[in-house]
Amino acid sequence: MKVKDSPYISRNRALFQKLLRTLLEEYPYASVLAADSREKTYSVNRRLTSIRGGGMMSARGFVARVFDGSRWSEHSFNEISEELLPAIAAQIRETAAMSERILPDGIRENVYAAPDDAQNTFRGSTEYEIDPEQTGDDAVLARLREIRDRGLAYSDRLLDCSVQVNWNRTSKLFLSPGKDLEQNILWTTASVSAVAARGQEIKNSRRSLSLLGGMELLDQLGKQAEETAATAMELLDSAPMPAGEYECVCTPEVTGMIVHEAFGHGVEMDMFVKKRARAEQYVGRYVASPLVTMHDGAVSASQTGSYFFDDEGTMAKDTIVIDKGILKTGISDYQSAMILGTEPTGNGRRESYRRKAYTRMTNTWFEGGSDRVEDMIASISYGFLLEEPSSGMEDPKNWGIQCMVNIAREIRDGRLTGRIFSPIVLTGYVPDLLKSITMMSPAPELSGGGFCGKGYKEWVKVSDGGPYVKARIRLG
Amino acid sequence: MIERIIQALNDLQICKYSIQEIRSRSAEAFYVRRRQDLKRRTTLTDYTVSVYRDFEKDGRRFTGDSSVPVYPGMEESELKESLRTAYHAASFVTNPCYPLVSGSKEAPVPSQSGFAGKSPEENLKAVAEAIFAAEDTEDVFINSAEIFAEQWTSRVINSSGVDVSWENWNLNGEYVIQCLSPADVETHHTFSLREPDLAILQKEVADAMTRTKDRARADKPPKGGRYTVILSEEHVDTLLSYYVSRSDASRVYQHYSDYAPGQAVQGEEIRGDALTVILKAAAPYDLQGVPLHDRTLLENGVLQTIHGAPRFCYYLGIEPTGIYRSIQVPTGSTPLAEMKKQPYLHIVSFSDFQMDSFSGHFGGEIRLAYLFDGETVKTVTGGSVNGILPEVQGQMIFSKERCRSARYDGPLAVSIRNVTVAGIDGE
């Protein structure tokens, strides 16, 4: 089934069009983005139950973007009516003219050419099997409690087992002189986390699932409970990581974090504009093993980073960032592409209508190879199987890696020994790591359980992944 | 809108509720080098309505709750449907009974911030002037910056009589310093100001330029091993967040933490400085309407207070403290220069310094550190710190110097002995 239009946006479409016409009487270009997003989060653990409507990605509001002939400005607001239109237009005008009140001495404004606003009309909706709003709160909670109980039953030394599911339905309308675009997207994510304790020592393990769709995700969640509980218990016997450089096999989740944090942020082309990305100097050069082909794009995969058009009205694409080890291109928002003289790639995204659009990743992943996971492990005399990424931070300028991983399983003489180490900090130089990839499993797997920030803010939903890969990595 | 929400709640016979209204405005500017690239403003009003339902099931009494966002201008039918759906959902939420915070209608509390009384645009300009006051040189300059001047008024109303409102200001953002030689590097910095401490901000930018020059000269990680590590500024705040998290009532209630008042949470044997932490009231109320005032969290390493949301405090049978976002820590007695007389690794910049409040693990990749081997100070980059706070907390030495941000007011630096660092040769 297809996700339906937002009744709110449909009802007020004429009002948004009228606001756009009003702005175009004064400015050579303007656009209006209207967003209506609903979400709901269910969670249960040993002691608590929660149902929460709304959340970080839930919002209804608008952003008017104005080009005055040379400069850009934006005004975000969340109340509109026929009566309020003159006041809203006045606020947008005031924002467009506020530079003289805010420019410090010695600071000038960037000047832009008029945007190219090709004609386009589009309507699109993603699909789902089970409508989250028709599933029933009691049925969802009953399913989560069943999964929680399976986790808790694993061991009486488990402090807790938490299960969560979250869905988000977002509708957007983008209007400009040339464009009339409307889309409706539904994604669902879920997670199981288990906490194990021994005295003062507390360890936790977390797994997440996601899909572009609805509550059909719950069917995939059940088996995660025992596995997560088992991992949390194993972690109680983990040892501190002996620092060094090792042959490693990365699970698809860890591959995804490396793809996203280590390389993806570095090809966001708003960083090229600021001369903050080393990747700009490496276009056309080998940055990875010839085994590596990397994609980013909202239509490159069906996952939580998917959409039909971005927040600047550019249609989504599937961008091949690295082709057989050679960096081909970055990804970009519209404004960055204008400065750089490149084609926008449909990566102009806002955290919400409240925030500026930046170049952001969508679904970011490595293509698969032809190696079996068991052959990867068998090929290692001493090394580790890395599991459960927990966080990472970009470093586009210096291509440094910082990724945190929860579990390293020891491999000795081609076999897993059963010893595990935790926690682990991955460090090093991005091209060194990517060039060290020597084996990749066939099937890439993507997941979108988390959010991506630009630095420490501007959170957007993304997915990332890839196959199992074998690489040489510095661990600490 | 609040009257319409209350009317709808009454019509639906929902008699236990809480409404949060936040009216905000901001002025924002984005700079690339010394050029303003984009300007923005926001004018927003947000409502969150939480509904509560007391019920009995299988002989046990529960309070279920659910919350929904309500949007300005929502039509009557949509508003009622949202509230009805939330109230229905609350009937499946089987949490132990708890009351709402009770109170009365209080006079609005104006902001005492030095930003108050000016427009967001005026405050934005003042902060921009402070940031760009640092002179660019050919080699070291502000690559880019973002400034958000935000003012908001929060109001909390609930069905137990609470009706309070207060104003807040925050000027926050980030700046990136780039140095071109001998290597092309950058450092990323954030700021968050409740007060117009512009001279301090200006000095921070100047210091950041000096550090970025040092970063350009740093080309090797430290040798792996155990070091006396000095952490400073925001990393001290992040490190100490461990104690704030572990003493949170929700953690204690869920048995994720065994903290209890009177417990020597810094350990029985403190060879360094005993830690005192004050929870600072950055606003007169929290978002459930609990009045906030400064509270001692730790005194000389001993826990004084379990703090948190009223519901969890009620479950634990303790006074509801409300939710705090800032801490104050008395400075130590050791000058930073004294700390630096012995060999040390002073890490001033991480890729992303992390503190895991479950395990006490702290760590991150080193972007810039100063390494003193007893003879010379070298700049290093790369490698990572990997420590466990409960294992080293008895040896923390806090600096006499102080630093202040919106979230943290306390010692500029902490010195910790025997911390594992993964470096160039492994350990």
Side-chain angles (χ1 to χ4, degrees), chain A residues 17-32:
Chain A
Q17 287 168 326
K18 187 172 179 182
L19 174 61
L20 180 67
R21 284 197 303 274
T22 304
L23 297 174
L24 289 173
E25 286 169 9
E26 204 163 336
Y27 301 103
Y29 174 89
S31 67
V32 174

PDB file of all heavy atoms in Angstrom, chain A residues 17-32:
ATOM      1  N   GLN A  17       0.608  28.157  -1.958  1.00  0.00           N
ATOM      2  CA  GLN A  17       0.805  28.704  -3.308  1.00  0.00           C
ATOM      3  C   GLN A  17       0.631  30.222  -3.294  1.00  0.00           C
ATOM      4  O   GLN A  17       1.360  30.954  -3.959  1.00  0.00           O
ATOM      5  CB  GLN A  17      -0.182  28.052  -4.284  1.00  0.00           C
ATOM      6  CG  GLN A  17       0.198  26.607  -4.599  1.00  0.00           C
ATOM      7  CD  GLN A  17      -0.878  25.827  -5.317  1.00  0.00           C
ATOM      8  OE1 GLN A  17      -2.072  26.054  -5.082  1.00  0.00           O
ATOM      9  NE2 GLN A  17      -0.473  24.907  -6.175  1.00  0.00           N
ATOM     10  N   LYS A  18      -0.335  30.691  -2.486  1.00  0.00           N
ATOM     11  CA  LYS A  18      -0.578  32.137  -2.412  1.00  0.00           C
ATOM     12  C   LYS A  18       0.621  32.845  -1.768  1.00  0.00           C
ATOM     13  O   LYS A  18       1.027  33.917  -2.221  1.00  0.00           O
ATOM     14  CB  LYS A  18      -1.852  32.404  -1.593  1.00  0.00           C
ATOM     15  CG  LYS A  18      -2.270  33.858  -1.599  1.00  0.00           C
ATOM     16  CD  LYS A  18      -3.622  34.052  -0.943  1.00  0.00           C
ATOM     17  CE  LYS A  18      -4.002  35.529  -0.941  1.00  0.00           C
ATOM     18  NZ  LYS A  18      -5.293  35.748  -0.264  1.00  0.00           N
ATOM     19  N   LEU A  19       1.196  32.212  -0.735  1.00  0.00           N
ATOM     20  CA  LEU A  19       2.375  32.805  -0.096  1.00  0.00           C
ATOM     21  C   LEU A  19       3.516  32.899  -1.113  1.00  0.00           C
ATOM     22  O   LEU A  19       4.198  33.927  -1.215  1.00  0.00           O
ATOM     23  CB  LEU A  19       2.815  31.964   1.113  1.00  0.00           C
ATOM     24  CG  LEU A  19       4.118  32.407   1.784  1.00  0.00           C
ATOM     25  CD1 LEU A  19       4.026  33.823   2.343  1.00  0.00           C
ATOM     26  CD2 LEU A  19       4.520  31.439   2.895  1.00  0.00           C
ATOM     27  N   LEU A  20       3.704  31.820  -1.903  1.00  0.00           N
ATOM     28  CA  LEU A  20       4.765  31.832  -2.913  1.00  0.00           C
ATOM     29  C   LEU A  20       4.529  32.960  -3.924  1.00  0.00           C
ATOM     30  O   LEU A  20       5.453  33.709  -4.263  1.00  0.00           O
ATOM     31  CB  LEU A  20       4.829  30.474  -3.627  1.00  0.00           C
ATOM     32  CG  LEU A  20       5.908  30.367  -4.703  1.00  0.00           C
ATOM     33  CD1 LEU A  20       7.304  30.434  -4.086  1.00  0.00           C
ATOM     34  CD2 LEU A  20       5.760  29.086  -5.505  1.00  0.00           C
ATOM     35  N   ARG A  21       3.277  33.101  -4.391  1.00  0.00           N
ATOM     36  CA  ARG A  21       2.978  34.164  -5.371  1.00  0.00           C
ATOM     37  C   ARG A  21       3.279  35.531  -4.778  1.00  0.00           C
ATOM     38  O   ARG A  21       3.836  36.406  -5.439  1.00  0.00           O
ATOM     39  CB  ARG A  21       1.507  34.076  -5.799  1.00  0.00           C
ATOM     40  CG  ARG A  21       1.200  32.946  -6.779  1.00  0.00           C
ATOM     41  CD  ARG A  21      -0.125  33.150  -7.472  1.00  0.00           C
ATOM     42  NE  ARG A  21      -1.246  33.268  -6.552  1.00  0.00           N
ATOM     43  CZ  ARG A  21      -1.943  32.241  -6.046  1.00  0.00           C
ATOM     44  NH1 ARG A  21      -1.621  31.009  -6.402  1.00  0.00           N
ATOM     45  NH2 ARG A  21      -2.930  32.441  -5.215  1.00  0.00           N
ATOM     46  N   THR A  22       2.930  35.710  -3.498  1.00  0.00           N
ATOM     47  CA  THR A  22       3.184  36.998  -2.830  1.00  0.00           C
ATOM     48  C   THR A  22       4.680  37.294  -2.816  1.00  0.00           C
ATOM     49  O   THR A  22       5.105  38.413  -3.107  1.00  0.00           O
ATOM     50  CB  THR A  22       2.651  36.948  -1.381  1.00  0.00           C
ATOM     51  OG1 THR A  22       1.267  36.601  -1.434  1.00  0.00           O
ATOM     52  CG2 THR A  22       2.827  38.278  -0.669  1.00  0.00           C
ATOM     53  N   LEU A  23       5.484  36.286  -2.487  1.00  0.00           N
ATOM     54  CA  LEU A  23       6.940  36.494  -2.420  1.00  0.00           C
ATOM     55  C   LEU A  23       7.517  36.772  -3.807  1.00  0.00           C
ATOM     56  O   LEU A  23       8.432  37.591  -3.961  1.00  0.00           O
ATOM     57  CB  LEU A  23       7.616  35.272  -1.793  1.00  0.00           C
ATOM     58  CG  LEU A  23       7.232  34.980  -0.338  1.00  0.00           C
ATOM     59  CD1 LEU A  23       7.857  33.671   0.136  1.00  0.00           C
ATOM     60  CD2 LEU A  23       7.655  36.122   0.590  1.00  0.00           C
ATOM     61  N   LEU A  24       6.965  36.104  -4.824  1.00  0.00           N
ATOM     62  CA  LEU A  24       7.503  36.278  -6.176  1.00  0.00           C
ATOM     63  C   LEU A  24       7.154  37.642  -6.766  1.00  0.00           C
ATOM     64  O   LEU A  24       7.741  38.057  -7.772  1.00  0.00           O
ATOM     65  CB  LEU A  24       6.999  35.145  -7.082  1.00  0.00           C
ATOM     66  CG  LEU A  24       7.614  33.765  -6.769  1.00  0.00           C
ATOM     67  CD1 LEU A  24       6.945  32.666  -7.577  1.00  0.00           C
ATOM     68  CD2 LEU A  24       9.122  33.770  -7.028  1.00  0.00           C
ATOM     69  N   GLU A  25       6.190  38.344  -6.149  1.00  0.00           N
ATOM     70  CA  GLU A  25       5.914  39.715  -6.593  1.00  0.00           C
ATOM     71  C   GLU A  25       7.103  40.620  -6.244  1.00  0.00           C
ATOM     72  O   GLU A  25       7.297  41.663  -6.844  1.00  0.00           O
ATOM     73  CB  GLU A  25       4.651  40.246  -5.912  1.00  0.00           C
ATOM     74  CG  GLU A  25       3.372  39.642  -6.472  1.00  0.00           C
ATOM     75  CD  GLU A  25       2.161  39.976  -5.608  1.00  0.00           C
ATOM     76  OE1 GLU A  25       2.293  40.815  -4.678  1.00  0.00           O
ATOM     77  OE2 GLU A  25       1.099  39.383  -5.847  1.00  0.00           O
ATOM     78  N   GLU A  26       7.885  40.205  -5.258  1.00  0.00           N
ATOM     79  CA  GLU A  26       8.953  41.049  -4.750  1.00  0.00           C
ATOM     80  C   GLU A  26      10.350  40.525  -5.074  1.00  0.00           C
ATOM     81  O   GLU A  26      11.297  41.301  -5.172  1.00  0.00           O
ATOM     82  CB  GLU A  26       8.796  41.137  -3.236  1.00  0.00           C
ATOM     83  CG  GLU A  26       9.403  42.353  -2.633  1.00  0.00           C
ATOM     84  CD  GLU A  26       8.838  42.577  -1.224  1.00  0.00           C
ATOM     85  OE1 GLU A  26       7.709  42.096  -0.936  1.00  0.00           O
ATOM     86  OE2 GLU A  26       9.528  43.191  -0.440  1.00  0.00           O
ATOM     87  N   TYR A  27      10.476  39.198  -5.160  1.00  0.00           N
ATOM     88  CA  TYR A  27      11.798  38.588  -5.312  1.00  0.00           C
ATOM     89  C   TYR A  27      11.861  37.770  -6.610  1.00  0.00           C
ATOM     90  O   TYR A  27      10.862  37.163  -7.002  1.00  0.00           O
ATOM     91  CB  TYR A  27      12.094  37.666  -4.124  1.00  0.00           C
ATOM     92  CG  TYR A  27      12.059  38.393  -2.796  1.00  0.00           C
ATOM     93  CD1 TYR A  27      10.968  38.266  -1.949  1.00  0.00           C
ATOM     94  CD2 TYR A  27      13.111  39.226  -2.420  1.00  0.00           C
ATOM     95  CE1 TYR A  27      10.916  38.950  -0.738  1.00  0.00           C
ATOM     96  CE2 TYR A  27      13.075  39.912  -1.214  1.00  0.00           C
ATOM     97  CZ  TYR A  27      11.976  39.768  -0.378  1.00  0.00           C
ATOM     98  OH  TYR A  27      11.931  40.446   0.799  1.00  0.00           O
ATOM     99  N   PRO A  28      13.059  37.704  -7.229  1.00  0.00           N
ATOM    100  CA  PRO A  28      13.159  36.942  -8.478  1.00  0.00           C
ATOM    101  C   PRO A  28      12.981  35.436  -8.283  1.00  0.00           C
ATOM    102  O   PRO A  28      12.618  34.721  -9.212  1.00  0.00           O
ATOM    103  CB  PRO A  28      14.572  37.258  -8.984  1.00  0.00           C
ATOM    104  CG  PRO A  28      15.302  37.863  -7.828  1.00  0.00           C
ATOM    105  CD  PRO A  28      14.287  38.458  -6.933  1.00  0.00           C
ATOM    106  N   TYR A  29      13.256  34.966  -7.071  1.00  0.00           N
ATOM    107  CA  TYR A  29      13.061  33.536  -6.812  1.00  0.00           C
ATOM    108  C   TYR A  29      12.652  33.367  -5.352  1.00  0.00           C
ATOM    109  O   TYR A  29      13.155  34.074  -4.466  1.00  0.00           O
ATOM    110  CB  TYR A  29      14.345  32.726  -7.055  1.00  0.00           C
ATOM    111  CG  TYR A  29      14.219  31.272  -6.654  1.00  0.00           C
ATOM    112  CD1 TYR A  29      13.759  30.316  -7.557  1.00  0.00           C
ATOM    113  CD2 TYR A  29      14.526  30.866  -5.347  1.00  0.00           C
ATOM    114  CE1 TYR A  29      13.628  28.978  -7.169  1.00  0.00           C
ATOM    115  CE2 TYR A  29      14.386  29.535  -4.965  1.00  0.00           C
ATOM    116  CZ  TYR A  29      13.936  28.597  -5.876  1.00  0.00           C
ATOM    117  OH  TYR A  29      13.795  27.283  -5.501  1.00  0.00           O
ATOM    118  N   ALA A  30      11.748  32.455  -5.131  1.00  0.00           N
ATOM    119  CA  ALA A  30      11.377  32.077  -3.762  1.00  0.00           C
ATOM    120  C   ALA A  30      10.897  30.643  -3.800  1.00  0.00           C
ATOM    121  O   ALA A  30      10.484  30.126  -4.847  1.00  0.00           O
ATOM    122  CB  ALA A  30      10.299  32.992  -3.212  1.00  0.00           C
ATOM    123  N   SER A  31      10.979  29.979  -2.670  1.00  0.00           N
ATOM    124  CA  SER A  31      10.390  28.640  -2.569  1.00  0.00           C
ATOM    125  C   SER A  31       9.729  28.497  -1.208  1.00  0.00           C
ATOM    126  O   SER A  31      10.082  29.214  -0.258  1.00  0.00           O
ATOM    127  CB  SER A  31      11.464  27.554  -2.752  1.00  0.00           C
ATOM    128  OG  SER A  31      12.377  27.576  -1.677  1.00  0.00           O
ATOM    129  N   VAL A  32       8.773  27.597  -1.129  1.00  0.00           N
ATOM    130  CA  VAL A  32       8.115  27.292   0.143  1.00  0.00           C
ATOM    131  C   VAL A  32       8.164  25.782   0.326  1.00  0.00           C
ATOM    132  O   VAL A  32       7.764  25.031  -0.575  1.00  0.00           O
ATOM    133  CB  VAL A  32       6.651  27.781   0.160  1.00  0.00           C
ATOM    134  CG1 VAL A  32       5.954  27.325   1.440  1.00  0.00           C
ATOM    135  CG2 VAL A  32       6.586  29.299   0.028  1.00  0.00           C
TER     136      VAL A  32
END
